[in-house]
Amino acid sequence: MAKLGRFLLTWLSHLVKPLTHLVPFRHWWLRGGVFALALGLTLLSPIVTQAQLPTPTPFQQGQRAYEAGRYSEALTLWQQAEAEFAREKDSLNRAMTLSNLSLAYQQLGQWSQAEASIAASLILVGPVPPANQPLPGFQEPDRLRVFAQVLNTLGRLQLTRGSSEQALETWQQATRLYNAVNDPTGSLSSQLNQVQALRSLGFYNRALAQLEALNQTWQTQPDTPAKVASLRSLGNAFRATGNFPKAWETLQTSLTIARKLDAAEEISTTLLSLGNTALDQPSLGNALELYQQSATIAPTPTLRLQAQLNQFSVLVKRQQFATAAALYPTLQTGFANLPLNHTTLYMRINLVNTLKQWRQGEGNTAPDWVEMARSLATVAQQAKTLGDPRAESYALGTLGTLYEQTRQWAEARTVTQQALALSQAISANDITYQWQWQLGRLLRTQGQTQPALVSYGQAVGTLQSIRNDLVTINSDVQFSFRESVEPVYRQYVSLLLRPENGQEPTQGNLETARSVIEALQLAELENFFQEACLERRPMTIDQIDPRAAIFYPIILEDRLEVVFRRSGQPLRHHAVPLPSNQVESTLIRLRQALHPVSPSGVFEQLSNQVYDWLIRPFEAELATGQVKTLVFVLDGPLRNFPMAALLDGDRFLIEKYGIAVTPGLELFSSQSLSRRNPTALTGGLSEARQGFSPLPKVEVELAEIREELPGLFLLNEDLTTQNLTRQLGSQDYEIVHLATHGQFSSDAEKTFILTWDSRIPVKQLDALLKQRSTRTRNPLELLVLSACQTAAGDSRAALGLAGVAVRSGARSTLATLWSVNDTAAATLMPKFYDELLQKGLTKAEALRQAQISLLKSEDFSLPYYWSAFVLIGNWL
């Protein structure tokens, strides 16, 4: 929670700067024009005069107060300025002041006032220029510049309020106005703003393409402080999209120009961004050294302390407590000399969050809980004085976590409820869910199950409402997903399924738990891709296949829970009282025992054990229900083991049922395969490429498949990325079969498919396979990846496999969990197609028959050879 909150604070503080160039009243226009220093994703600057007046005006005083983080003071001063401009009938300066007022209201969480101010500003500066009318002749250039700046503010408000599509359109219009008045800085900045809207809408590839174009454009601009800041914002945007090498390159360019200009503040700030990038990707640089350099050169106390605070956080995170202890007095001195404003409030809260981690990791030298609590109480009071309800909420909620840590339940509940009321009042959902979750934990600890369930349900609902924000803002959030998001779902499921007063969970609780498990699967996949790219379609097993049963195993802290449903029957559940680490270690050992060289008997014993956990409690119902297919929504390391290889003591599960895996029933189409001569693209690599071993039987595999499945054939040097792209873009294949190396990982950047000349990352594969969507509504029926593997040592690697299956757009994906014997693959795959296309079986049953044929063979009877093949998605 601390990491998530810290990032959201940092993000917001960099996004919002009011416009900085005021048009002198009575239409005394500025020489050189009016322009916005809008240099980052939704980064806006206030408007001020270039010629400084002897006595600062209320407008200029408001600008200085805003930049110092004193938003309530800025609000009051700009209200005075707006009233003065109204009396003078100076509509243009009044419009700009109202735009700045909207920013101040946004910072204070006063959304209705922010909307009213920007609406009034638009009326004064409007009307909106028609799209088909030449802009230079429409209005005077100065008004167009101001209009563009106001639109930037409007876009920021729209994005914050969840209207991403409107924000994108608004910033596109701002770009058009900036271009009309030949303002390249404003144009590039408004285009950079569009990147955040594109990512929020899930248009990952468009966002990356726009970033690349902006990067090229900025290279041609003259070296100025504005270019330094813009390149830094661009680098931060690349970092937010997970493109760390490009982020590093862009930030280094920004740093080089800053040093050329001898701009100390720009150098220090860019070093801070480089440190953040190195923290995410240590191979690029040393984060601690970069933070130290930033602190050394920082020309302002606040910037210096920000760098030192980052140093301190990294030291504590790495458990370098002695070094952290040596730095702590410097931080204390620095905070004592800082002014009281919005920025310093959050810095103080962040310091307490790091101190809490220090205390938990090494309590002897860390400050005690009382000191931290006093600091937070002071911050909460200061935030209230400054009129900053968000900071007040964050301070009170963090204080609640301290009380929770020290088991002061009543105090923890009181301040958490206060924090929650404040965050809800300003619609700050990114922290609201944290206090709802915290309140749920406290109520659960005190034995108040029903109120706790309400709080947990509200937290999950709030998370669902901000899923775009959670997955599109930065890798900090991605890193903290398992700490700050995933536990909310798991703890809610745990509470829903826990018997109370000797009574088993109700059907309502079981159904809610099932839905929450599916929602967690969705959240994990979106976190994997770092974008909100998936949509759920409410679906039950009854609607899909009356002869199927579905299993939802979920690993909880103190037990393994299995929710089960057979078509037409109520939900059931079974709990295995084992701690999560024991369940996970058993599954890891079971995966290892699959290998043919493992000690005799180990696999059988472990496979029987997991069968007893998952299947045995429901055997009788499966036997009486004429069930043909078992569908598994697997959790964590369960994804890395093939359910087909579970043993009931005598037989493998695949000998009794067809088996499919899905991240959720709600993510795939439920239609069956059309058997009408499907068109197919088959390709593979039989030769060694890029350090991967040869697959000599691939030629045999593809040749035999061609007899069952005629179509385009790409082998070795023909299977280039360019050729594959061209072929997939020219025809709508219903089946794509690739017999080539690939890797699935819990990191999307390490999930790829090998071609003759390169590697296709999962996100690029997604784009290739979905080219058909621009021409036809018919989805890809089947994607087969017959020589891939999950990354070694990655307990969540099969998340990458699920990601490929979902993002490919295919109704079904057949892939391998490890790199199988290629002779076994060459035997199994033609058999699969024969059963599927010639005999008309379902995909699950066709795979079952193909696997059984190997199981009964002399050479490949061990599960290592046949169980690696898993069917994901639609099994019909």
Side-chain angles (χ1 to χ4, degrees), residues 476-786:
D476 284 352
V477 175
Q478 309 305 316
F479 180 82
S480 68
F481 178 86
R482 296 190 70 181
E483 302 169 7
S484 305
V485 177
E486 186 177 335
V488 185
Y489 293 90
R490 293 191 185 279
Q491 291 172 18
Y492 187 27
V493 170
S494 179
L495 198 59
L496 284 164
L497 298 181
R498 189 178 297 280
E500 186 177 14
N501 300 323
Q503 299 295 315
E504 285 297 302
T506 64
Q507 278 295 303
N509 278 11
L510 287 170
E511 180 56 42
T512 302
R514 185 204 66 78
S515 179
V516 172
I517 293 169
E518 292 227 1
L520 173 58
Q521 296 273 336
L522 176 70
E524 285 185 301
L525 284 170
E526 292 187 329
N527 178 256
F528 170 79
F529 284 107
Q530 298 185 23
E531 55 180 308
C533 54
L534 308 175
E535 294 299 329
R536 298 171 66 181
R537 298 177 293 274
M539 191 76 64
T540 67
I541 198 73
D542 302 36
Q543 299 170 286
I544 300 173
D545 185 0
R547 306 189 75 179
I550 188 163
F551 292 79
Y552 293 90
I554 185 165
I555 301 170
L556 303 175
E557 185 177 357
D558 60 344
R559 66 196 192 277
L560 171 66
E561 283 276 6
V562 185
V563 176
F564 167 82
R565 183 165 188 181
R566 177 166 63 87
S567 180
Q569 298 297 314
L571 287 160
R572 292 182 54 204
H573 90 110
H574 175 73
V576 182
L578 287 173
S580 59
N581 59 352
Q582 186 172 337
V583 172
E584 291 173 3
S585 65
T586 299
L587 292 168
I588 291 171
R589 288 162 50 215
L590 176 57
R591 167 68 184 263
Q592 294 169 342
L594 269 169
H595 201 279
V597 300
S598 63
S600 177
V602 174
F603 170 77
E604 289 78 5
Q605 183 264 324
L606 292 173
S607 184
N608 272 304
Q609 183 177 353
V610 176
Y611 182 95
D612 289 344
W613 291 349
L614 302 182
I615 311 298
R616 188 84 65 189
F618 311 104
E619 270 186 332
E621 190 164 347
L622 290 172
T624 60
Q626 296 185 329
V627 172
K628 296 296 184 182
T629 307
L630 305 186
V631 183
F632 293 88
V633 179
L634 296 173
D635 182 38
L638 280 164
R639 300 187 187 106
N640 285 358
F641 181 79
M643 296 293 104
L646 291 179
L647 271 169
D648 68 358
D650 298 315
R651 292 192 296 169
F652 291 105
L653 196 59
I654 196 65
E655 295 182 79
K656 299 188 287 184
Y657 304 100
I659 293 171
V661 174
T662 177
L665 293 180
E666 303 175 354
L667 294 175
F668 292 92
S669 168
S670 59
Q671 297 178 1
S672 58
L673 173 67
S674 170
R675 269 77 182 179
R676 48 168 183 76
N677 301 319
T679 58
L681 184 154
T682 58
L685 297 179
S686 62
E687 299 180 17
R689 297 298 295 173
Q690 304 175 50
F692 286 86
S693 60
L695 299 169
K697 295 297 181 179
V698 159
E699 293 189 41
V700 176
E701 175 184 338
L702 297 185
E704 293 194 22
I705 289 173
R706 289 184 74 184
E707 296 181 8
E708 301 283 350
L709 195 65
L712 183 66
F713 178 79
L714 302 175
L715 180 66
N716 292 330
E717 61 269 15
D718 291 331
L719 188 64
T720 64
T721 299
Q722 182 178 5
N723 200 18
L724 188 61
T725 302
R726 182 170 56 251
Q727 295 299 335
L728 288 171
S730 64
Q731 185 170 344
D732 293 330
Y733 297 99
E734 294 169 278
I735 296 176
V736 174
H737 181 114
L738 300 175
T740 176
H741 285 291
Q743 179 172 281
F744 306 119
S745 167
S746 60
D747 182 348
E749 301 301 320
K750 298 177 182 177
T751 297
F752 62 88
I753 304 297
L754 193 71
T755 63
W756 180 260
D757 58 338
S758 65
R759 300 178 181 187
I760 303 177
V762 61
K763 294 175 181 176
Q764 185 179 342
L765 180 67
D766 158 44
L768 293 183
L769 293 172
K770 285 187 175 178
Q771 291 180 82
R772 58 186 295 121
S773 64
T774 62
R775 300 184 306 273
T776 178
R777 294 183 179 180
N778 297 325
L780 179 64
E781 292 281 358
L782 178 64
L783 170 65
V784 179
L785 304 169
S786 66

Side-chain angles (χ1 to χ4, degrees), residues 143 158 163 207 217 254 258 291 308 313 413 435 455 457 533 550 619 639 648 664 695 738 754 812 856:
R143 185 169 293 276
Q158 290 168 332
S163 300
T217 303
S254 174
Y291 291 146
Q308 292 170 334
S313 177
R413 185 171 170 181
W435 310 147
S455 287
C533 54
I550 188 163
E619 270 186 332
R639 300 187 187 106
D648 68 358
L695 299 169
L738 300 175
L754 193 71
S812 310
K856 292 181 177 180

Side-chain angles (χ1 to χ4, degrees), residues 401-420:
T401 65
L402 295 188
Y403 284 133
E404 182 184 18
Q405 185 73 32
T406 56
R407 306 176 68 83
Q408 296 174 260
W409 310 122
E411 292 84 352
R413 185 171 170 181
T414 297
V415 294
T416 300
Q417 288 172 326
Q418 292 172 354
L420 179 57

Side-chain angles (χ1 to χ4, degrees), residues 11-12 111 173 207 221 234 276 359 405 413 433 445 483 530 550 552 649 716 768 835 851 860:
W11 182 260
L12 288 170
W111 303 109
Q173 190 176 48
Q221 299 299 309
L234 186 58
N276 294 337
R359 183 76 185 177
Q405 185 73 32
R413 185 171 170 181
Y433 95 86
T445 301
E483 302 169 7
Q530 298 185 23
I550 188 163
Y552 293 90
N716 292 330
L768 293 183
E835 300 287 340
Q851 288 177 307
F860 304 116

